[in-house]
Amino acid sequence: MSTILEVSYFLSMISFIVGLKYLSSPQKAKLGNLLAGLGMTLAIIVTVTGSFYGKGFSLNLILLLIAVFAGTVIGKRMADKAEMTRMPQLVSYFNAMGGGCALLLGILEAQQVHGDSNRTAEVVLLTAMMIGATSFSGSIIAYLKLAGKQKDQKTLAVVVLSRIALFSLILIPVFVSYQFLSLTLMQEVCILAGIALLYGIVFVLPIGGADMPVVISLLNSLTGVATALAGIMFHNIIMISGGIFVGSAGVLLTLLMCKAMNRSLWNVLAGKFKGKKAGSGAAAEEMDIKPTSIGEMATNLAFANKIAIIPGYGLAVAQAQHLCAQLENILESKGVEVHYVIHPVAGRMPGHMNVLLAEADVHYDKLKEMEEVNDDMASYDMAIVIGANDVVNPAAEKDADSPIYGMPIIKAYEAKQVVVIKRGMSKGYAGVENSLFGEENCSLLFADAKVALNGIINELKNIA
Ligand code: NAP
């Protein structure tokens, strides 16, 4: 049995590695997801079979099978129902479950350990349990914030409580190890679990609601670390490797998101935007806004040779990706060259726009990275900005006082003509005015992305 277990774990590990590799390419992402899922299924089957082999049907096995079945059905339903714009909520919810598991495993395992146990093993158990508890409560708060049910709480009391909780989590195990504090393992586990749950709450409460994708990615990596530590506790190689993959991928993703926003992780965690207060920059009333109409835009498009479509969060909100693809097709049928220019943090999660456009069967060759196109932006007759704001804001390059100064942007303003499709004059995620809207070559089509695209497509059909 142990050979079968080891070979299966090895195959599962390979599937995780290949799956992760494939996830970095939009064409292979689905296959990667499937492979990693199959690897995980194999790991679960052999672990359960290995644990219950030759023991017949026990209550534990029945409970486990019911739990796996219920978890599969509920998880599948939730994933099927979740809209793309709500994906970060779903991830935070699933992550809370992972953290909760590590917390429960820590508590259960503590009951098995007796007085003469090895302190190093106890510290591993305590660390896994504390990280799991922090990740559990932190993810629940992140979920509530994303769902708009919890506001930011950046009060002094919350910040002080967060520091006290963090120091207690570090100092209590040290004091117990050096016998300055006398606690049984179970007492220590219960006290630390309570403090870690509190820490998760006060850690996430002050962070800006819009920074939640970064926080969720960080908490996700913490859950990975907790799983790896639990794997050490249970001498389970697949838990260790799976946890390490999740932990390291989460850290890399967190840092990539911060880099693409030109903000330090500390800045995000402290809930700060650098520079002036969010909201600085030229006021909308001071800008010369030039509204345009669906008819005017369609006519201009009909005479264009090369078009850049720049999608943003608003496209996802409007669920207008299919219409976007239709617009591309109709323009191409008229001999226009069309590219989608993608900013790495457009939308609300990494790869948001790629996934959205893939849903509408937009060919991957049409998608251009920001860096690929920026130097060539002047060659586009028109840049159509659909529901994007911060990622095309020239203030990031030109206004050293702007909170987003230094963030790489798509240089839409360099195109011969720019049309921004949005519903009104709302600011983007960073809460700053967009100086692009006042540029000479820029006009705004005030409409929901779906309504606007529908109108443009109908007009273009009528233009021979
Ligand atoms: P954005 O700056 O948030 O702007 C979105 C714009 O879409 C808004 O100004 C809004 O204006 C418009 N909009 C909303 N609903 C619309 C609809 N139905 N139809 C048409 N327009 C609509 O979006 P972005 O340019 O994509 O930038 C993303 C931001 O999120 C960046 O600041 C980035 O740093 C941040 N962020 C991204 C990630 C990530 O991983 N992708 C993670 C964390 C943070 P109206 O209300 O006036 O229509």
Side-chain angles (χ1 to χ4, degrees):
M1 187 69 205
S2 83
T3 316
I4 297 177
L5 205 68
E6 277 165 26
V7 171
S8 305
Y9 281 170
F10 180 69
L11 289 176
S12 298
M13 261 187 268
I14 304 265
S15 80
F16 294 164
I17 295 169
V18 178
L20 269 176
K21 172 89 190 114
Y22 280 10
L23 281 176
S24 61
S25 142
Q27 291 129 315
K28 293 185 178 166
K30 266 191 183 168
L31 180 62
N33 211 8
L34 184 71
L35 267 178
L38 286 175
M40 183 56 87
T41 311
L42 175 67
I44 294 173
I45 291 173
V46 291
T47 307
V48 173
T49 315
S51 308
F52 291 92
Y53 187 67
K55 294 182 189 161
F57 255 92
S58 63
L59 179 64
N60 269 352
L61 179 59
I62 294 168
L63 287 176
L64 190 141
L65 292 176
I66 293 174
V68 169
F69 179 74
T72 309
V73 172
I74 296 171
K76 169 91 172 67
R77 266 189 72 83
M78 285 179 74
D80 284 346
K81 275 171 65 183
E83 291 164 25
M84 279 299 297
T85 44
R86 302 242 157 86
M87 224 28 110
Q89 274 106 305
L90 189 71
V91 175
S92 65
Y93 184 81
F94 286 159
N95 194 45
M97 297 300 111
C101 271
L103 167 66
L104 288 178
L105 282 178
I107 295 173
L108 290 175
E109 193 57 15
Q111 290 176 332
Q112 318 287 327
V113 178
H114 300 293
D116 56 347
S117 68
N118 165 351
R119 183 64 187 160
T120 312
E122 287 181 4
V123 170
V124 172
L125 178 151
L126 290 170
T127 313
M129 182 276 299
M130 287 189 287
I131 296 177
T134 302
S135 194
F136 172 69
S137 55
S139 299
I140 300 242
I141 298 294
Y143 173 82
L144 292 175
K145 278 191 168 192
L146 285 166
K149 292 180 183 151
Q150 173 64 53
K151 291 212 165 79
D152 304 348
Q153 293 282 337
K154 211 176 167 198
T155 60
L156 185 65
V158 170
V159 176
V160 171
L161 208 56
S162 151
R163 301 280 148 82
I164 295 175
L166 180 61
F167 283 120
S168 310
L169 290 176
I170 298 167
L171 291 179
I172 291 176
V174 174
F175 285 174
V176 173
S177 297
Y178 289 96
Q179 290 163 357
F180 296 133
L181 201 61
S182 172
L183 292 172
T184 65
L185 181 61
M186 205 52 210
Q187 287 169 333
E188 198 182 356
V189 164
C190 291
I191 293 170
L192 290 174
I195 300 175
L197 285 170
L198 173 72
Y199 180 61
I201 296 172
V202 288
F203 167 65
V204 179
L205 270 181
I207 303 174
D211 278 331
M212 280 308 116
V214 182
V215 174
I216 289 163
S217 165
L218 187 68
L219 290 172
N220 196 30
S221 74
L222 285 183
T223 304
V225 174
T227 310
L229 290 171
I232 295 175
M233 241 156 52
F234 294 111
H235 307 287
N236 185 308
I237 191 85
I238 198 72
M239 275 179 99
I240 299 176
S241 55
I244 290 172
F245 291 142
V246 174
S248 46
V251 168
L252 287 175
L253 189 59
T254 308
L255 295 177
L256 275 173
M257 275 198 256
C258 290
K259 190 171 165 232
M261 292 191 282
N262 192 38
R263 295 175 64 200
S264 68
L265 181 58
W266 172 246
N267 231 254
V268 171
L269 297 183
K272 294 188 288 194
F273 271 98
K274 69 188 179 76
K276 278 189 188 172
K277 289 203 304 310
S280 66
E285 311 83 66
E286 292 167 23
M287 284 192 268
D288 175 23
I289 303 295
K290 296 167 280 299
T292 186
S293 65
I294 287 175
E296 188 181 357
M297 183 168 172
T299 312
N300 289 338
L301 279 174
F303 290 106
N305 292 317
K306 197 174 172 192
I307 298 284
I309 296 179
I310 305 175
Y313 177 64
L315 182 78
V317 174
Q319 284 293 295
Q321 62 274 27
H322 296 281
L323 286 169
C324 207
Q326 264 186 50
L327 176 67
E328 176 211 319
N329 290 338
I330 201 162
L331 286 171
E332 281 170 349
S333 70
K334 290 178 185 295
V336 183
E337 190 180 358
V338 183
H339 294 149
Y340 295 84
V341 187
I342 310 291
H343 191 285
V345 291
R348 289 294 181 271
M349 61 180 182
H352 199 165
M353 295 301 118
N354 302 62
V355 178
L356 201 69
L357 294 171
E359 236 179 64
D361 291 326
V362 169
H363 201 276
Y364 186 59
D365 291 348
K366 302 276 163 207
L367 271 53
K368 304 280 172 202
E369 301 281 335
M370 168 179 70
E371 302 84 23
E372 230 180 300
V373 174
N374 259 349
D375 290 342
D376 200 26
M377 209 66 210
S379 70
Y380 288 90
D381 296 311
M382 190 190 282
I384 313 175
V385 179
I386 310 177
N389 196 336
D390 296 341
V391 299
V392 290
N393 190 345
E397 290 180 343
K398 297 175 182 168
D399 179 1
D401 285 334
S402 172
I404 57 165
Y405 184 66
M407 169 171 144
I409 56 153
I410 300 174
K411 295 176 189 283
Y413 63 88
E414 285 191 354
K416 292 183 187 116
Q417 205 188 341
V418 187
V419 177
V420 181
I421 301 177
K422 72 199 294 287
R423 298 161 308 173
M425 286 305 289
S426 319
K427 293 165 187 159
Y429 156 94
V432 289
E433 291 296 355
N434 193 337
S435 57
L436 171 71
F437 304 159
E439 297 275 341
E440 193 57 39
N441 59 344
C442 178
S443 44
L444 274 83
L445 178 57
F446 290 113
D448 171 84
K450 212 170 196 171
V451 175
L453 289 173
N454 220 345
I456 298 165
I457 291 167
N458 287 335
E459 289 282 333
L460 279 172
K461 281 181 186 160
N462 295 331
I463 300 176

